Amino acid sequence: GAVVSQHPSRVICKSGTSVKIECRSLDFQATTMFWYRQFPKQSLMLMATSNEGSKATYEQGVEKDKFLINHASLTLSTLTVTSAHPEDSSFYICSARDGRGGSGETQYFGPGTRLLVL
Amino acid sequence: KNQVEQSPQSLIILEGKNCTLQCNYTVSPFSNLRWYKQDTGRGPVSLTIMTFSENTKSNGRYTATLDADTKQSSLHITASQLSDSASYICVVSATQAGTALIFGKGTTLSVSS
């Protein structure tokens, strides 16, 4: 089956620093990738949708200048949390949509990245 | 408003017992419904996916049902194992631009020995 990886799996950083999270589709090309945030005991919340080679589409209330998304290739999208603050501490999950044939709607999720901002 | 409601919020059962999780949705137009298992600190993993015309789908000890008329789905777990302890999330896909996914808040299942 399709595999999506994330790196790092967990990161601790100081307040004010920037953190980059990578999301890769390992065995398929993903024209669209999604970034979610999940707080404890809460559902996944879509932050943004990124299409390869174009600007990301952000959900209402998500600051695009704070959460920079780059989708430079069909297998890699990155999320950079700029000037991170403790309230940005969360579990960040990416997913990739496999655009091949009949499975075009299926989203495959990465294992997530735990961010802790001190 | 598109919504997915799951019940119960949490559930504790003994190893070997069966259980059923519920999902009610108000999503239109409907495309498909998925059940995911999410272990603590991990990303969701797909268990089943059902379209409008399907009313049951099995994956090992997991059996999902769908009643598109009443907009209800259930996930039945048979002969539970300790490794079934996780959060189970119902996700409904709306047929619209971008194929939006509407997530339920999940049911946290704890299987004890």
Side-chain angles (χ1 to χ4, degrees), chain B residues 11 14 31 51 58 67:
Chain B
L11 182 63
L14 290 175
S31 177
T51 59
S58 290
D67 186 332

Side-chain angles (χ1 to χ4, degrees), chain A residues 26-91:
Chain A
L26 298 185
D27 52 359
F28 66 98
Q29 293 185 330
T31 54
T32 305
M33 288 186 170
F34 305 85
W35 286 96
Y36 296 87
R37 182 163 58 180
Q38 185 178 33
F39 292 106
K41 299 188 184 299
Q42 297 293 318
S43 181
L44 278 72
M45 294 174 51
L46 180 65
M47 298 174 66
T49 302
S50 75
N51 292 293
E52 185 265 338
S54 63
K55 290 183 178 180
T57 302
Y58 290 81
E59 295 299 299
Q60 191 173 11
V62 178
E63 300 176 56
K64 62 180 181 181
D65 294 330
K66 181 169 184 62
F67 298 99
L68 301 179
I69 291 173
N70 184 282
H71 193 163
S73 77
L74 287 172
T75 59
L76 173 64
S77 176
T78 60
L79 167 68
T80 301
V81 183
T82 62
S83 187
H85 288 95
E87 58 265 30
D88 297 323
S89 299
S90 187
F91 192 53

Side-chain angles (χ1 to χ4, degrees), chain B residues 98-113:
Chain B
T99 313
L101 297 184
I102 296 93
F103 289 79
K105 291 187 176 181
T107 293
T108 301
L109 174 65
S110 298
V111 181
S112 61
S113 57

Side-chain angles (χ1 to χ4, degrees), chain B residues 28-110:
Chain B
S28 182
F30 173 87
S31 177
N32 56 63
L33 184 147
R34 300 171 170 89
W35 282 94
Y36 285 90
K37 178 186 179 187
Q38 185 178 21
D39 292 312
T40 301
R42 305 303 300 270
V45 174
S46 179
L47 295 176
T48 62
I49 176 172
M50 289 181 290
T51 59
F52 184 88
S53 60
E54 299 173 293
N55 54 27
T56 187
K57 184 72 71 78
S58 290
N59 178 0
R61 294 179 296 102
Y62 301 103
T63 299
T65 64
L66 174 65
D67 186 332
D69 291 331
T70 62
K71 299 186 177 181
Q72 295 179 327
S73 176
S74 67
L75 179 69
H76 186 74
I77 303 175
T78 305
S80 61
Q81 301 175 357
L82 296 178
S83 59
D84 293 331
S85 296
S87 178
Y88 292 84
I89 306 172
C90 175
V91 183
V92 180
S93 177
T95 309
Q96 61 190 50
T99 313
L101 297 184
I102 296 93
F103 289 79
K105 291 187 176 181
T107 293
T108 301
L109 174 65
S110 298

